[in-house]
Amino acid sequence: MQVSASLSGIGNLFEKLVGEIFPPQSSKASAAVATSSGPQSGTVLWKGSLVLRKRLLALDLTDLAADTLDDIEDFLGSKVEVQLVSNTSLDPKTGEGLRSAEVKILNWEAARDLPVETNFTFELDFQVPEDFGSVGAIIVKNGHTFEFLLVSFELALPDKSKVVNFTCNSWVYNTTLQEGRIFFSNEVYVPSQTPPGLVALRAKELTNLRGDGTGERAAKDRIYDYAIYNDLGNPDANPKQKRTPLGGSKDFPYPRRCRTGRPPTKTDPASESKPSNELSPFYVPRDEQFGQVKADDFLASAARSVTHSAGPTLRTAETHDPNFTSLDQIFQLYTSKGADKGVMKNLQPVTTKTVTDPLEFFHEFILPEGEDTNLLRYPLPNVLAVNNDAWSLDQEFAREFIAGLNPLVITRLTEFPIKSKLDPLTYGEPVSAITAKIVNSQLPDGWDVEKALKENKLFIVDYHDALLPYAQRINDLETSSIYATRTLFFLTSDGTLQVIAIELVLPPPTQGAAKNSRVFTPPPEDSTKNWVWELAKAHVLSNDSSYHQIFSHFTRTHAAVEPIIIATNRQLSALHPINLVIVPHFKNTMDINAAARKALINSGGIVETSFTPQQYSLELGSVLYKLDWRFDEQGLPTDLIKRGIAVPDSNAKHGLKLLIEDYPYAVDGLELWAAIKSWFSDFVDIVYPDDSGVVGDVELQSWWNEIRTVGHGDKKDEPGWPELNSKQNLVQILTTIAWVASCHHAAVNFGQYEYAGFMPSHPTTTRKLIPEEGTPDWQSLQDDPVTFYLSSISNQTQATVVMATIEILSTHSADEEYLGQRSLPNWTNDPKILAAFDKYSKKIADIDTLIKERNADPSLKNRLGPVQIPYELLRPISGQGITGKGVPNSVSI
């Protein structure tokens, strides 16, 4: 969100505020052609209605100073003007669509300016020739200094037989130095079917959005272009904050981000500098920024998180001890209310707000939906809802790899012994230290490794090859200690997973030397707590937390989607049918990504200071993108087959047989995948009669080519890119993009607070290795195991910073748009499209009910687990706040 605090004209504010005491009865104002009140000979009179919102200052307050200047300029003749453009009638001089006379909005200042965000409606009269034809576009000119949000425009034909709708929802800046802003109606066309009057405008608008690749971007720009991730470091401030550019190289490939055009840093030409004003946000096109409701909720969540952190910060300063000294000290951070008692309410589905609550920010700060109102304590995570110990049980530890916040990693073991693919000269013996003897000792009677493999009962979460190359560098840091971990599971007869063994590996001290590998097995169920085993699990969870945040979450959703958004705006006209259905999956993504580059994944940011890999975090994300990202494998069915979790089966539902039948993420996800794919299939059938239409669509082909060769250009020559030569492949591409932006992101994001809001449940940092017997640290562990355990994982600052961050990230805003919903009215008038979307929406509602029913089935033990958290992360609909459910259309937070 970009906010201006203009102080000019402040002396006029009192007069304006007094005027608000007696506001007019309606927010409507008039506009008309200055000539005649009726149609002239040879012309017809068409009625237009334009809805806009004025510039905001901050929170929900209108920028009254800016609006005063606009009023003065309007009075002096600098107006807002609108022209109609014909679909069919051409101007003989230009060969382009015939345009009406420019109609000025009159009485701009008569629209009483409320101190909160408000829709204003202006009525306009257009006199056009009788042979003007149908209207397909409007040109809007803004002669004012400041921008306004053009919400919508509609045109009623004289016989009222038809209304032409324009769902604009775009900020219009001053257009004095340009022709004006182009807006198309909600009728869409593939390029070859573009009405003759719109052909030139269609090409011109795409040219405007592409820019010329030069210059530093300004807030008013509507330019979508690419850059690499070379703005994460800040070497001018501190040489230690230099970071490796990600993208554009063989060693460190990465998806592209939005280009800002800022100059290089003074000390490193390969790094992009920060904005001159540290408070300035990173550039993204204005229409990609949060709307006001979203911005208010986001700021309120951030403000609440700051107050939640105040107590721990003061206690740390008072005691001078950065560590937690007991679990009770952590429990005291939370409100006393559990999830079932009001922390996370099951709210009814909400519709998108169209007018901002005047006190939205303050309401959400003090009385947030679905949360306890104690500002000095964190809401209680659902992982503690039943009791304070369930999170630590081995059964829960295992369950969360198929129903927790990172259920995308577990893989079926297909060969034994387990082997690494790393270079053995550098990283030591490739064969795992988990032997058949160890495994057999943990299996039920009648089972051994050979039988378990043959019957598809062994599964693994393997971070060995991903993390071992970075282990030594991370362990050389003062405040991080890491192992590369492997965790082996057995699928039991009741469908749950049993932990068999954990392997913790350190790299060889020198090339050719033996690596340090330690294997731990779970203690008997009736034994006292084994704190060495708990430390082994903590190291696995820390590996998982880093991998989850860096790769499963940010790289595979946020970063992977951004270049697709850029390509869509550059290559698919707003007139294109595919633009109509894919753009809802892009809402807010570029804005939250820019905020992440500024404060989350940057040098010294939250990830680097709170996760074990520290300064290597995003570099590790690049390495994982290189090793383990293919476009086709981002689709759920292909991903499940790749990981050996499913096998094709024409007789099974969705054509796949799951080898872990009670795998909540996969079971629910396949339902949503099928619904999304069916919707896109119906839509593509409406648009393209056959495959030749897809092949011959020049915009569509340019779009897909740019995604592959530019947006994900470092991967352009690798396998996994479907050829866009058929309707079937187009549906697969669209379904994959929508799945990643909606379901994949929801599965790895909105459960963060309920599972990791209690730090020991998912520590993001490990600060000590497990001591060897006979060492002083081993004795400390024996003397006071809880204190040693807590000193080995995230400290108070790291824990509370992460808690505050994931509290924000796990929160749904009031204007969230979920699967099966469209927030903009009149987004299409096509009855076939509306019927297909209604079918899709009903299917999404049915899936929501189905998931609720599954969670009530006691035979499905993995859906609740010991912590009794129902798996709702893929329930499509949610209310506002931290709910642990809801699938927004887009990567919206």
Side-chain angles (χ1 to χ4, degrees):
M1 179 185 65
Q2 304 202 24
V3 181
S4 170
S6 172
L7 298 179
S8 61
I10 200 73
N12 298 321
L13 295 184
F14 179 76
E15 179 182 349
K16 295 178 72 68
L17 288 170
V18 170
E20 301 305 338
I21 299 174
F22 304 99
Q25 296 301 307
S26 171
S27 62
K28 289 191 176 184
S30 65
V33 178
T35 51
S36 169
S37 59
Q40 298 176 356
S41 177
T43 67
V44 292
L45 181 66
W46 288 350
K47 296 285 187 179
S49 180
L50 181 146
V51 180
L52 61 80
R53 298 179 198 162
K54 297 187 179 182
R55 171 191 173 94
L56 297 180
L57 177 65
L59 303 179
D60 301 311
L61 303 177
T62 301
D63 190 341
L64 298 179
D67 192 65
T68 298
L69 180 58
D70 285 345
D71 288 350
I72 294 171
E73 291 173 333
D74 198 89
F75 177 78
L76 296 175
S78 296
K79 302 286 188 180
V80 174
E81 302 172 344
V82 183
Q83 273 184 299
L84 306 181
V85 181
S86 172
N87 267 332
T88 53
S89 297
L90 302 181
D91 187 322
K93 295 181 180 179
T94 65
E96 299 181 6
L98 189 65
R99 301 186 184 185
S100 72
E102 295 171 343
V103 174
K104 295 178 172 61
I105 291 181
L106 305 178
N107 303 318
W108 175 277
E109 70 285 349
R112 305 301 293 175
D113 305 319
L114 304 177
V116 296
E117 187 178 44
T118 307
N119 281 357
F120 294 99
T121 301
F122 294 88
E123 310 295 342
L124 298 91
D125 291 345
F126 295 88
Q127 288 185 1
V128 299
E130 291 179 344
D131 60 353
F132 190 79
S134 61
V135 175
I138 58 175
I139 308 293
V140 179
K141 297 181 179 179
N142 179 11
H144 298 163
T145 297
F146 295 101
E147 71 274 15
F148 61 85
L149 178 68
L150 180 56
V151 177
S152 64
F153 177 79
E154 67 177 34
L155 188 71
L157 302 188
D159 59 0
K160 298 183 180 179
S161 61
K162 182 179 180 181
V163 173
V164 183
N165 293 113
F166 296 74
T167 52
C168 309
N169 201 43
S170 180
W171 289 91
V172 180
Y173 282 77
N174 179 276
T175 59
T176 301
L177 299 179
Q178 51 186 295
E179 183 179 6
R181 280 291 310 281
I182 302 166
F183 293 94
F184 297 108
S185 76
N186 64 358
E187 294 190 28
V188 291
Y189 312 90
V190 296
S192 62
Q193 297 175 354
T194 308
L198 303 183
V199 171
L201 287 184
R202 183 172 189 149
K204 186 178 297 182
E205 177 69 350
L206 285 175
T207 299
N208 292 339
L209 290 168
R210 292 173 191 146
D212 61 7
T214 64
E216 183 173 352
R217 298 277 69 82
K220 64 181 178 58
D221 292 336
R222 294 176 60 246
I223 295 176
Y224 294 78
D225 204 354
Y226 302 94
I228 64 173
Y229 278 71
N230 64 343
D231 64 343
L232 301 180
N234 192 5
D236 286 352
N238 185 338
K240 292 183 179 180
Q241 290 194 29
K242 180 181 176 180
R243 294 293 179 266
T244 301
L246 306 181
S249 73
K250 181 179 179 180
D251 292 334
F252 297 105
Y254 211 61
R256 300 300 187 263
R257 61 167 174 91
C258 180
R259 179 184 178 276
T260 70
R262 296 194 303 270
T265 61
K266 297 175 182 177
T267 56
D268 178 23
S271 297
E272 184 174 276
S273 61
K274 303 297 183 184
S276 54
N277 182 347
E278 292 184 0
L279 297 179
S280 296
F282 289 0
Y283 166 80
V284 295
R286 179 65 182 274
D287 292 344
E288 302 294 342
Q289 295 170 25
F290 287 176
Q292 200 56 35
V293 172
K294 177 78 171 184
D296 286 348
D297 288 352
F298 184 82
L299 289 175
S301 294
R304 282 198 312 276
S305 293
V306 170
T307 64
H308 294 160
S309 300
T313 301
L314 291 173
R315 282 193 293 273
T316 300
E318 180 182 355
T319 62
H320 304 289
D321 186 352
N323 298 325
F324 291 110
T325 56
S326 69
L327 290 173
D328 284 341
Q329 188 181 357
I330 304 177
F331 295 140
Q332 290 170 9
L333 297 174
Y334 306 103
T335 58
S336 58
K337 292 183 178 181
D340 296 335
K341 300 176 182 177
V343 176
M344 303 177 188
K345 297 177 183 177
N346 290 321
L347 303 178
Q348 295 299 314
V350 294
T351 55
T352 300
K353 294 186 179 182
T354 55
V355 178
T356 304
D357 177 349
L359 299 176
E360 176 74 18
F361 168 81
F362 302 101
H363 175 267
E364 283 305 306
F365 174 59
I366 299 171
L367 296 171
E369 291 285 354
E371 292 187 27
D372 193 283
T373 58
N374 189 328
L375 295 179
L376 295 179
R377 292 180 183 267
Y378 290 91
L380 188 71
N382 269 351
V383 76
L384 299 177
V386 175
N387 62 57
N388 291 344
D389 298 318
W391 62 271
S392 67
L393 298 177
D394 291 351
Q395 183 182 343
E396 181 61 26
F397 170 80
R399 185 191 76 92
E400 290 186 18
F401 287 105
I402 56 175
L405 57 81
N406 192 24
L408 292 77
V409 179
I410 191 168
T411 303
R412 179 167 57 91
L413 195 65
T414 57
E415 64 177 14
F416 197 89
I418 304 162
K419 294 181 182 179
S420 168
K421 296 179 181 179
L422 297 176
D423 178 9
L425 292 178
T426 303
Y427 298 106
E429 169 61 47
V431 177
S432 168
I434 300 176
T435 64
K437 181 179 180 181
I438 292 174
V439 176
N440 292 339
S441 70
Q442 298 296 314
L443 293 176
D445 292 341
W447 287 88
D448 59 19
V449 169
E450 184 178 354
K451 181 180 179 182
L453 276 177
K454 183 178 179 180
E455 299 194 18
N456 301 318
K457 297 295 184 181
L458 291 179
F459 296 85
I460 188 169
V461 172
D462 191 345
Y463 292 129
H464 179 278
D465 287 8
L467 297 178
L468 193 63
Y470 277 83
Q472 191 58 56
R473 280 174 279 180
I474 294 170
N475 287 335
D476 287 341
L477 302 171
E478 292 183 6
T479 56
S480 280
S481 295
I482 193 172
Y483 295 100
T485 68
R486 292 185 177 112
T487 309
L488 189 63
F489 302 94
F490 174 75
L491 183 63
T492 67
S493 58
D494 67 358
T496 61
L497 292 174
Q498 171 192 337
V499 190
I500 297 297
I502 291 173
E503 183 180 18
L504 306 182
V505 183
L506 294 174
T510 58
Q511 189 173 40
K515 62 184 177 184
N516 183 330
S517 182
R518 303 170 70 183
V519 177
F520 301 86
T521 55
E525 290 186 5
D526 57 353
S527 64
T528 58
K529 186 177 288 292
N530 184 321
W531 286 98
V532 173
W533 172 247
E534 297 302 319
L535 284 169
K537 288 195 298 182
H539 277 279
V540 173
L541 292 168
S542 176
N543 276 193
D544 188 62
S545 292
S546 296
Y547 188 98
H548 160 262
Q549 203 63 264
I550 295 164
F551 189 57
S552 299
H553 185 194
F554 186 80
T555 299
R556 289 184 62 183
T557 63
H558 289 261
V561 168
E562 181 159 347
I564 299 175
I565 300 173
I566 297 171
T568 301
N569 283 276
R570 288 168 56 86
Q571 300 297 342
L572 287 184
S573 166
L575 277 172
H576 201 289
I578 300 303
N579 185 299
L580 179 70
V581 293
I582 202 64
V583 161
H585 296 287
F586 301 152
K587 180 180 178 181
N588 296 329
T589 303
M590 291 181 70
D591 203 18
I592 194 63
N593 285 4
R597 299 202 322 272
K598 188 175 177 65
L600 187 69
I601 61 173
N602 59 306
S603 60
I606 291 169
V607 169
E608 286 200 359
T609 56
S610 303
F611 286 75
T612 303
Q614 293 192 33
Q615 68 232 41
Y616 301 109
S617 293
L618 258 289
E619 185 178 312
L620 181 57
S622 168
V623 171
L624 293 169
Y625 174 75
K626 177 182 179 179
L627 295 174
D628 199 32
W629 190 93
R630 284 176 38 153
F631 179 84
D632 59 340
E633 292 174 351
Q634 305 314 299
L636 179 62
T638 306
D639 170 61
L640 293 173
I641 293 170
K642 169 196 171 186
R643 292 191 282 123
I645 301 294
V647 293
D649 184 345
S650 59
N651 296 320
K653 190 175 184 181
H654 309 302
L656 288 180
K657 178 183 178 182
L658 289 173
L659 300 182
I660 303 177
E661 294 182 4
D662 184 13
Y663 185 175
Y665 165 74
V667 173
D668 296 351
L670 286 171
E671 300 286 352
L672 292 175
W673 171 273
I676 295 168
K677 185 175 182 179
S678 178
W679 151 238
F680 282 128
S681 181
D682 290 345
F683 183 82
V684 168
D685 282 342
I686 294 169
V687 175
Y688 298 102
D690 52 42
D691 293 343
S692 64
V694 173
V695 175
D697 189 326
V698 293
E699 285 186 6
L700 190 69
Q701 294 296 329
S702 296
W703 169 74
W704 183 235
N705 182 66
E706 186 164 294
I707 290 171
R708 179 179 66 84
T709 63
V710 183
H712 285 272
D714 299 331
K715 290 274 192 173
K716 67 180 187 296
D717 297 323
E718 296 190 12
W721 297 101
E723 187 176 352
L724 189 46
N725 58 2
S726 67
K727 292 167 57 176
Q728 180 179 351
N729 281 3
L730 174 58
V731 169
Q732 186 72 12
I733 289 167
L734 295 174
T735 306
T736 300
I737 293 170
W739 165 266
V740 170
S742 59
C743 305
H744 177 148
H745 180 258
V748 298
N749 181 73
F750 291 104
Q752 289 189 85
Y753 192 79
E754 67 177 357
Y755 283 107
F758 177 65
M759 182 274 293
S761 176
H762 264 83
T764 59
T765 295
T766 41
R767 295 179 289 142
K768 291 180 180 180
L769 300 177
I770 299 178
E772 300 280 356
E773 290 190 41
T775 63
D777 275 353
W778 177 264
Q779 190 58 49
S780 296
L781 172 60
Q782 304 308 309
D783 293 342
D784 191 347
V786 174
T787 298
F788 189 93
Y789 173 81
L790 291 174
S791 71
S792 298
I793 55 179
S794 307
N795 64 28
Q796 291 194 60
T797 300
Q798 291 167 329
T800 53
V801 165
V802 170
M803 287 161 61
T805 303
I806 62 177
E807 181 185 4
I808 298 168
L809 298 182
S810 301
T811 300
H812 290 295
S813 67
D815 67 344
E816 201 84 87
E817 183 180 295
Y818 299 96
L819 287 179
Q821 297 180 351
R822 292 294 293 258
S823 61
L824 297 177
N826 303 315
W827 61 277
T828 183
N829 292 336
D830 187 309
K832 292 182 179 179
I833 296 175
L834 289 172
F837 190 78
D838 182 62
K839 171 186 169 185
Y840 169 57
S841 298
K842 289 178 180 176
K843 181 60 178 175
I844 293 297
D846 290 344
I847 293 171
D848 190 83
T849 301
L850 175 62
I851 294 173
K852 185 176 180 180
E853 292 172 351
R854 285 173 176 164
N855 287 334
D857 185 345
S859 69
L860 301 176
K861 298 182 182 301
N862 293 326
R863 300 201 69 92
L864 278 79
V867 294
Q868 294 294 292
I869 300 177
Y871 189 77
E872 297 187 312
L873 291 173
L874 291 180
R875 278 192 67 182
I877 310 301
S878 172
Q880 187 178 353
I882 302 175
T883 65
K885 61 182 176 181
V887 182
N889 279 321
S890 63
V891 182
S892 59
I893 190 66

